[in-house]
Each structure stands twice: as C-alpha cells, then as structure tokens.
Amino acid sequence: WGFYPHASKWIRKAAEQNGVTLLDITPVFVSLCAEGPMSCPEDLFPDGHATAKGNAVVAKQVSDFLLANGLVK
C-alpha cells in the first residue's frame, strides 16, 4: 500500500492536535483491496487514485460520515 497508511497516520495526528474532524478513507480501500491498489482495478488505478467506482465508494463514505456526525441534515 505504499505511503498511504503511513501518511494517514500523520494526517490523523495533525487533525487530532488541531481539533479538526477528519474522515480517513484509507482503511476502507485497504479492506476492499487487501493486496494493494492493483488488486481491485475496478475501484483504484494502479497509482492508488480512485476510479469512477472508487469515487462512488468515497462519496458514500463522506455522506455517511457527514450524517453520522451531524454535520448535515
């Protein structure tokens, strides 16, 4: 998974230290694509960026997060 999990760790830490609400979607894709981005080409390009289907996964995660945290009605 390259640098994504490591970078996410630091981003989460920075968000926590600054009181910023954060949605980290890295774990979602790590669980969907256990062998890395190339193991699920329908969701991720080889470089780890989301395809159209992967972006639908992101959109669902964002929507659920916003609703669950009372950030939208």
Side-chain angles (χ1 to χ4, degrees):
W1 267 98
F3 69 89
Y4 285 105
H6 184 69
S8 290
K9 177 180 119 180
W10 291 106
I11 293 167
R12 283 192 311 274
K13 184 176 180 177
E16 183 179 312
Q17 289 175 341
N18 291 285
V20 174
T21 303
L22 174 72
L23 168 60
D24 182 5
I25 61 167
T26 300
V28 173
F29 283 105
V30 169
S31 73
L32 284 174
C33 310
E35 301 300 317
M38 296 194 63
S39 69
C40 58
E42 65 281 354
D43 294 309
L44 297 171
F45 291 110
D47 69 358
H49 287 92
T51 63
K53 185 177 178 226
N55 276 307
V57 171
V58 172
K60 174 76 168 121
Q61 293 294 315
V62 170
S63 174
D64 291 349
F65 180 83
L66 293 173
L67 290 168
N69 286 282
L71 299 170
V72 295
K73 295 181 183 183

